[in-house]
Amino acid sequence: SGRSGLSDVQESASSRFDSTSMFGYVVELTPQRVPFWNGDTYEYALWSFVPRLLVPEKPKQGLGQEFGHRYGFLDDSDDETSVNLLQSVEMYANFGDTGVVVGSLLLGFLYRVVVAFSSRSVSDDGTQLIAAHVFEGLLNIEANLTLVFGGIVYTVLCNVVMLKLLHWGKPKAGTS
């Protein structure tokens, strides 16, 4: 009995970490049993850039709960657990195969822009440092798109402020 319980735990744990199985499961259910989201998961995108300090009543994003319930990963009574919605799965759940192809191309283009900034000639303005930090965040493909991209604005702003503070009062190169 203890052995079968351990097996159940192992199967449950491995299924949580197996993104390929999750993607396959979503493909299997969508749109036959679960309708496409048709872009609904991206509606929060504009809000993700607005600091809650400025808009305290800003809507909360509960996509991890919504996704978990929609696809049956969570029990109906579970209102605490969050299931990460991987970006590629999110693309498919919204727009099917076309969403994955177009979304991947757009993400690839964005990654290329960030790489172009980070591989510029070395300068003292900190652009490479900021681009590297942004790229690190973009590599979090195991979180939904608006969660990842909402953090980019804050990452850039915080890095720019920090670099300005570090260089505050220092003479610029070439001046005496």
Side-chain angles (χ1 to χ4, degrees):
S1 171
R3 198 72 176 131
S4 66
L6 179 59
S7 175
D8 292 342
V9 169
Q10 288 172 332
E11 183 178 329
S12 174
S14 68
S15 68
R16 282 186 152 278
F17 297 113
D18 183 3
S19 57
T20 306
S21 294
M22 178 187 285
F23 198 137
Y25 183 72
V26 169
V27 167
E28 184 180 317
L29 294 182
T30 312
Q32 295 80 5
R33 288 196 267 165
V34 178
F36 285 117
W37 255 320
N38 296 315
D40 288 349
T41 66
Y42 301 116
E43 285 181 358
Y44 187 81
L46 295 176
W47 282 110
S48 68
F49 298 109
V50 178
R52 194 166 297 280
L53 183 67
L54 297 178
V55 184
E57 64 278 358
K58 167 180 149 175
K60 291 187 179 185
Q61 185 180 25
L63 197 51
Q65 266 277 307
E66 191 175 345
F67 171 63
H69 288 293
R70 185 178 179 114
Y71 283 93
F73 294 113
L74 300 176
D75 186 71
D76 289 341
S77 64
D78 186 342
D79 61 355
E80 294 182 21
T81 308
S82 181
V83 178
N84 281 352
L85 176 56
L86 287 76
Q87 291 174 21
S88 55
V89 174
E90 181 180 19
M91 291 172 197
Y92 187 87
N94 275 287
F95 305 113
D97 295 337
T98 303
V100 175
V101 171
V102 172
S104 296
L105 288 170
L106 290 172
L107 276 179
F109 175 74
L110 179 66
Y111 289 173
R112 179 62 186 114
V113 169
V114 174
V115 167
F117 274 111
S118 64
S119 60
R120 290 180 9 176
S121 62
V122 178
S123 63
D124 288 335
D125 67 359
T127 304
Q128 287 182 320
L129 177 66
I130 294 170
H133 197 185
V134 167
F135 195 66
E136 174 193 17
L138 288 176
L139 291 176
N140 182 14
I141 61 172
E142 292 183 355
N144 63 298
L145 197 67
T146 56
L147 185 66
V148 170
F149 282 88
I152 289 174
V153 172
Y154 301 116
T155 299
V156 170
L157 287 174
C158 288
N159 279 284
V160 167
V161 168
M162 188 181 319
L163 287 170
K164 294 292 182 192
L165 288 172
L166 288 172
H167 291 313
W168 190 22
K170 291 182 180 179
K172 294 188 178 191
T175 62
S176 34

